[in-house]
């Protein structure tokens, strides 16, 4: 028997005006973040004005892709049918070397081996439809 849960694909992010640089960078294998040209604060998610100095001269810059696991959880229940075949999967918040925290997944590691504070680095995963997203693996 085929059910909707088995056939529905995972949702793929749709880049918009405020996230296009982030997704273009991911496709090139670069972690791009918004950065204030005035005070150099890193801004994630991208904002229309700098959250540090309220300046509006904002640009994009390549982040190192390095960070540490700030916290994580392991999902044992699916909240979208497209994730059924991936259970149990992890969801992590990675604190980047530059400061911002990114919601992501950890790959190339068993869920049981994930530790808060462990060093990780970005790796870019094809989500289909030409969209790549940064995930993180042990550094
Ligand atoms: Zn600023």
């Amino acid at each position: 028997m085929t059910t909707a849960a088995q056939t529905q694909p995972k949702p793929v992010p749709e880049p918009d005006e405020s996230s296009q640089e982030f997704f273009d960078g991911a496709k090139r294998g670069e972690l791009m973040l918004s950065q204030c040209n005035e005070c150099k604060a890193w801004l994630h998610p991208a904002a229309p004005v700098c959250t540090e100095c309220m300046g509006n001269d904002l640009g994009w810059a390549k982040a190192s892709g390095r960070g540490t696991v700030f916290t994580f959880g392991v999902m044992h229940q699916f909240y979208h049918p497209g994730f059924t075949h991936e259970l149990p999967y992890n969801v992590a918040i990675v604190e980047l070397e530059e400061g911002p925290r990114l919601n992501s997944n950890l790959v190339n590691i068993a869920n049981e081996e994930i530790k808060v504070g462990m060093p990780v680095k970005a790796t870019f995963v094809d989500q289909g439809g030409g969209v790549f997203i940064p995930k993180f693996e042990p550094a």
Side-chain angles (χ1 to χ4, degrees), residues 33-103:
L33 298 180
S34 179
Q35 189 178 42
C36 176
N37 289 327
E38 294 171 37
C39 76
K40 299 298 176 192
W42 293 91
L43 308 168
H44 183 80
V49 295
C50 176
T51 53
E52 298 300 314
C53 75
M54 300 304 285
N56 59 11
D57 180 13
L58 306 177
W60 289 83
K62 182 181 169 185
S64 68
R66 291 186 299 270
T68 55
V69 175
F70 180 75
T71 190
F72 72 98
V74 176
M75 303 297 143
H76 292 273
Q77 193 175 346
F78 71 88
Y79 297 95
H80 182 284
F83 291 81
T84 311
H85 67 287
E86 294 188 8
L87 293 173
Y89 65 90
N90 68 72
V91 175
I93 297 178
V94 171
E95 188 166 73
L96 300 173
E97 202 172 67
E98 291 82 2
R101 293 176 184 157
L102 213 63
N103 295 331

